[in-house]
Amino acid sequence: MAEPNTIPFDVLLARVENIFVRHGVRPESAKAVAHVIVAGERDNCKSHGIYRIAGCLRVLAAGKVDPLAVPEIHDNGKAVIEVDAKGGFSNPAFYAARDLLVSRAREMGLAALVIRDCLHFSALWHDVEALAEDGLAGLSMCPSYSFVAPTGGKEPLLGTNPLAFGWPRPDGIPPYVFDFATSVAARGEIELHQRAGKPIPEGWAVDRDGNPTTDPDVALDGAMLTFGGHKGSAISTMIELLAGAMLGEFMSKEAREFMGGTTLLPRHGALILALDPRTFAARSGRDPIAEGEKLLTAIGAQGARLPSQRRFEARKKALRDGIVLSDAELAQLDEFEGVTAC
Amino acid sequence: MAEPNTIPFDVLLARVENIFVRHGVRPESAKAVAHVIVAGERDNCKSHGIYRIAGCLRVLAAGKVDPLAVPEIHDNGKAVIEVDAKGGFSNPAFYAARDLLVSRAREMGLAALVIRDCLHFSALWHDVEALAEDGLAGLSMCPSYSFVAPTGGKEPLLGTNPLAFGWPRPDGIPPYVFDFATSVAARGEIELHQRAGKPIPEGWAVDRDGNPTTDPDVALDGAMLTFGGHKGSAISTMIELLAGAMLGEFMSKEAREFMGGTTLLPRHGALILALDPRTFAARSGRDPIAEGEKLLTAIGAQGARLPSQRRFEARKKALRDGIVLSDAELAQLDEFEGVTAC
C-alpha cells in the first residue's frame, strides 16, 4: 500500500503546473518550469525539487522575470542557434529550440544553442539528458552569481558555474550524465553550517583578505573557492568566458549587480553544445555508443559509481511507487495553489 | 653579453628540425614537430621541450610512427572537419587543417576538428593558442594511456587526459590559456619521488585494491587518481568519450594495449573545438573580447595569476635573450645531429 503522502509523478506535475498558471505564467512556460521542478523531486534532488517553487514565485512577485515571455528563435541555418528567452525562464526557451538543435547537430555534426536573457534556476542535467534521448552528446554551462574567488585571489568574481555533460547509452540504460558546480561546495551548504553553528571544512572558502577560513560567517562575507584548486578555477573562468562574455550576456559579477543582490534567482545566458557521435565516428567504421560502453561498463565493474547513478535509481523508484512528500511540503503546495489545507 | 649556452629561438628551431629530417621525417612534418618542441623549450616547459626529442626518436626507431605520413583532410563542408594523420605525428595533421578549421568556425560559428590515428606527444596549448591568434576560442582534449582509476575504483582505465582552453585577448596581450592533465599529478612526478626514495602526497594514487597509498612503487603498480575527486573523474571520463569513443579512435586502455606497454609515446585521436566569439555575440551588440577583459583584468587586479602567465613571461625573455641550454642538453643535440662533440 502506498504511503499516505505519496503522489504519482503526473499528478504532482499537474499540480505544480497549475501553481505557475495561477501565478500568471503562460501555460507553455508553466509546463516547462513544472517539468524540471517535478523531475528534480522525482530524482530526489531535493534542492532542485519543489523547494524551488518558492524561489520562482518570489522572482515573479519581484517582477524580475516576465511570466508571459514567448521565447524567440533566431536561426540563420548555421551551427549556432539562438533563442531569446526575453526575460522569461530558461527552460521554456530550451524546449522551444530543442528539436531544432537536435536536427542541426545531426545535419552539421555539432551545433550550439545560445539562450539569451533568461531567468535560470534549474539544474543543467535536464538539457543534456534531453539531448542524450536523441542520441547526442551534450555540454551545458552557465554563469551564476559571483560568490567564488579565483585561485590565489580573494574577491568573489566567479559564479558557482555549473557544468553538465551527457552521453547516450544503449536502449534502456540511462545516459552517462554529470552536472556539478565548479565551486567546491554549494553556497547553501555553507549556510547550513552557519545555522548549525558548525565550522566548514578547510578549502571551501577564504576571508576578505584571501586567507583560508573555516568560519561560515567569515566565508559568506569573503569568497567561496573552486573545486580542484587552480584547475577548477581555470574551468570556472572558461565558463564565464564561453557562457557569459562570448554570448554578450552577463558574467556572474554583472548578474549580481543587475539583480541588486543575490536573494533572487539570477538572470543571464546559457550555452549548450550538441554533438552527434554517429557523424563524428562515421569514417572510423566503429559504433561510438558501443565503444563508450566498454569504458562505462568497466567503471561499474570495478565497483565505482557513475555520476547520476543515485538519481536514476531514485527516478525508477519514484516512477514506480510515486513521489513521497512531507506533510509540510504538501501543505505548502496547497498554499501555493491558493487552497487552505483542512 | 649572452651566456655561452644561449641559442636564439630560430637557430634552435632549425637544429631540431634538422634532427628530425636526418631521422627520416618528411620535411613538413619535421618543421611542425620541431616547432612544438622548441616552443615548449622557449616557454620553459622543460617536460615538453627538447627533452621530448629522445622520445620521438625512440618511437620512430620502434616503427610505431610513420615518418613519411602525409595528413589527409576529409571535409564535407559541414561543421566537423577530419584530418587523418595516417599514423604520423599529430602536429603536422593539426597544422595541415588549421586554416580550414578557422575559416569553417568563422563561417558556421563553431566547428570541430577530428585528428585520427596520430602519434601524440605535445602539450595541447599549441592548438588553442593557434586558434586564439585568429580570434577564436578553442577547446582541445585527447586520451592518453590508462594510468588513472575513476573515483571509487582501483583499476587504471582513464588516461591523464589533458584538457586545454584558449580565449583571445586584445592585440599584444597573450591569450587566456589553460592546459592541464586531469590526473592530480603527472606520472613523471611519481617516478621522481620513486627515484628520490620519497613518499608521494596523499590523494595522488591508490594501490591495486583501491586503498590510498603514499608509496611511489605501490602507486605505479596501482592507479593514479584524478584532480578534484569525483568531479575531475567525471571530466576525465568525458574526455575518453568525446575524444576517444565518439571519434571511433582509441580510448586510453586500448591505446595502451595497442602499443603493448607505455614506454613509447601513445597513439590515438584528438578533438579540437573552435568557436567564433564574434558570431556568438553578434546579436547582443556587445564586444565579447572586451567583455572577457573585464573578468581577466579583474582576476589580475586582485593578485591572482592567470594560467600560462609564467609561460608567457618565459617566452618573452627567451625571444629577447635566447634560450639557455645546459652543457648536457647541447651535447645531446650534437649527438642527435650525428655530430660528435669535441
Side-chain angles (χ1 to χ4, degrees):
Chain A
M1 203 183 89
E3 295 182 48
N5 288 357
T6 298
I7 306 185
F9 177 82
D10 290 342
V11 175
L12 184 57
L13 187 62
R15 286 190 68 177
V16 175
E17 195 177 322
N18 183 44
I19 288 170
F20 283 102
V21 170
R22 286 197 180 200
H23 284 81
V25 176
R26 192 175 70 100
E28 209 169 331
S29 298
K31 190 186 284 289
V33 169
H35 180 79
V36 299
I37 287 176
V38 178
E41 194 67 38
R42 172 199 69 194
D43 287 10
N44 201 27
C45 294
K46 296 298 286 187
S47 65
H48 281 95
I50 59 169
Y51 157 82
R52 288 279 166 173
I53 299 172
C56 290
L57 298 183
R58 266 201 309 276
V59 80
L60 280 164
K64 293 278 195 177
V65 63
D66 181 354
L68 301 175
V70 179
E72 196 175 83
I73 292 174
H74 296 266
D75 176 30
N76 55 15
K78 296 183 179 177
V80 180
I81 297 159
E82 297 191 24
V83 54
D84 191 336
K86 301 192 87 69
F89 289 106
S90 66
N91 316 97
F94 173 76
Y95 290 113
R98 171 198 166 163
D99 289 349
L100 185 59
L101 176 63
V102 169
S103 68
R104 190 60 45 81
R106 284 187 184 143
E107 181 192 336
M108 296 284 187
L110 84 162
L113 177 66
V114 174
I115 304 181
R116 291 203 178 284
D117 191 20
C118 63
L119 198 292
H120 206 289
F121 73 90
S122 67
L124 301 184
W125 53 259
H126 302 281
D127 309 341
V128 297
E129 278 194 28
L131 296 174
E133 278 173 23
D134 284 313
L136 302 180
L139 263 169
S140 179
M141 61 186 84
C142 65
S144 55
Y145 278 142
S146 52
F147 286 132
V148 179
T151 294
K154 55 192 177 183
E155 286 157 34
L157 267 180
L158 308 169
T160 52
N161 299 358
L163 176 69
F165 170 70
W167 173 264
R169 301 190 65 184
D171 285 349
I173 306 177
Y176 175 84
V177 173
F178 71 72
D179 176 8
F180 53 70
T182 51
S183 52
V184 70
R187 193 159 180 88
E189 288 178 77
I190 300 180
E191 288 164 350
L192 286 176
H193 281 77
Q194 184 186 40
R195 266 180 248 165
K198 284 184 188 169
I200 55 171
E202 278 181 40
W204 281 22
V206 290
D207 68 15
R208 285 188 164 211
D209 297 318
N211 303 309
T213 184
T214 58
D215 181 329
D217 292 309
V218 174
L220 292 169
D221 181 58
M224 294 160 64
L225 292 173
T226 60
F227 89 102
H230 72 279
K231 295 181 182 180
S233 179
I235 289 173
S236 180
T237 303
M238 175 188 80
I239 294 173
E240 294 284 340
L241 293 170
L242 288 182
M246 187 173 80
L247 313 183
E249 294 288 318
F250 292 163
M251 289 187 286
S252 296
K253 187 159 182 276
E254 197 176 4
R256 189 168 177 168
E257 285 157 6
F258 174 80
M259 284 305 223
T262 62
T263 53
L264 293 173
L265 297 163
R267 202 155 142 176
H268 48 66
L271 176 66
I272 296 146
L273 300 182
L275 304 98
D276 181 21
R278 302 208 181 270
T279 300
F280 276 88
R283 283 194 61 260
S284 74
R286 287 181 164 197
D287 174 353
I289 306 306
E291 290 298 313
E293 287 307 292
K294 291 181 188 169
L295 175 66
L296 299 174
T297 54
I299 290 176
Q302 61 175 276
R305 294 181 77 88
L306 293 175
S308 300
Q309 203 170 319
R310 281 189 190 85
R311 201 160 54 70
F312 292 130
E313 286 160 10
R315 179 182 305 182
K316 200 173 163 188
K317 187 171 182 303
L319 291 177
R320 187 187 60 209
D321 304 336
I323 295 167
V324 182
L325 297 180
S326 69
D327 289 341
E329 287 169 332
L330 281 172
Q332 197 175 42
L333 281 183
D334 290 340
E335 190 193 317
F336 288 148
E337 280 174 319
V339 179
T340 310
C342 311
Chain B
M1 204 182 90
E3 295 182 50
N5 288 358
T6 299
I7 305 184
F9 176 82
D10 289 340
V11 174
L12 184 58
L13 186 62
R15 287 191 67 178
V16 176
E17 194 177 323
N18 184 45
I19 288 170
F20 283 102
V21 170
R22 286 195 180 203
H23 284 81
V25 176
R26 191 176 69 100
E28 207 169 332
S29 297
K31 191 187 281 289
V33 169
H35 180 79
V36 300
I37 287 176
V38 178
E41 195 67 39
R42 172 200 68 194
D43 287 10
N44 201 28
C45 294
K46 294 300 286 187
S47 65
H48 281 95
I50 59 168
Y51 158 82
R52 288 278 166 175
I53 298 172
C56 291
L57 297 183
R58 266 201 308 276
V59 80
L60 280 163
K64 293 277 195 178
V65 63
D66 181 353
L68 300 176
V70 179
E72 195 176 84
I73 293 174
H74 295 265
D75 177 30
N76 55 15
K78 298 183 178 178
V80 180
I81 297 159
E82 297 190 26
V83 56
D84 191 335
K86 301 191 89 66
F89 290 106
S90 68
N91 315 99
F94 173 76
Y95 290 113
R98 171 198 168 162
D99 289 350
L100 185 59
L101 175 63
V102 168
S103 69
R104 189 61 44 82
R106 284 188 183 142
E107 181 192 335
M108 296 283 186
L110 84 163
L113 178 65
V114 174
I115 304 181
R116 292 204 179 281
D117 191 21
C118 63
L119 198 293
H120 205 288
F121 73 90
S122 68
L124 301 183
W125 53 257
H126 301 281
D127 308 343
V128 298
E129 278 194 29
L131 296 173
E133 277 172 22
D134 283 313
L136 302 180
L139 263 169
S140 180
M141 61 187 84
C142 65
S144 56
Y145 278 141
S146 51
F147 286 133
V148 179
T151 293
K154 56 193 176 183
E155 286 156 35
L157 266 179
L158 308 170
T160 52
N161 298 358
L163 176 69
F165 170 72
W167 174 264
R169 301 190 64 182
D171 284 349
I173 306 177
Y176 175 84
V177 172
F178 70 72
D179 177 6
F180 52 71
T182 51
S183 52
V184 70
R187 192 158 181 88
E189 289 178 77
I190 299 180
E191 288 164 351
L192 286 176
H193 281 76
Q194 184 186 39
R195 265 180 248 165
K198 284 184 188 169
I200 55 170
E202 279 181 39
W204 281 23
V206 291
D207 68 16
R208 284 187 165 213
D209 297 317
N211 303 310
T213 184
T214 59
D215 181 330
D217 292 308
V218 174
L220 291 170
D221 181 57
M224 294 161 64
L225 292 173
T226 61
F227 90 101
H230 72 280
K231 295 181 182 181
S233 180
I235 290 173
S236 180
T237 304
M238 174 187 81
I239 294 171
E240 294 284 340
L241 293 170
L242 288 182
M246 186 171 82
L247 314 182
E249 294 289 319
F250 293 164
M251 289 186 286
S252 297
K253 188 159 179 281
E254 197 176 3
R256 190 169 175 167
E257 285 155 8
F258 174 80
M259 284 304 222
T262 61
T263 52
L264 293 174
L265 297 164
R267 203 155 140 178
H268 48 65
L271 176 66
I272 297 146
L273 301 181
L275 305 98
D276 181 19
R278 301 208 182 271
T279 300
F280 276 89
R283 283 195 59 258
S284 75
R286 287 181 164 196
D287 174 352
I289 307 306
E291 291 298 313
E293 287 306 292
K294 290 181 187 169
L295 175 66
L296 299 172
T297 55
I299 291 175
Q302 60 176 277
R305 292 182 79 90
L306 294 177
S308 300
Q309 202 169 320
R310 281 190 191 82
R311 202 161 53 72
F312 292 129
E313 285 160 10
R315 179 182 305 183
K316 200 172 162 188
K317 187 169 181 308
L319 291 178
R320 188 188 58 211
D321 303 337
I323 296 168
V324 182
L325 298 181
S326 70
D327 289 340
E329 287 168 333
L330 281 172
Q332 198 173 43
L333 282 183
D334 289 341
E335 190 193 318
F336 289 146
E337 278 174 322
V339 179
T340 311
C342 311

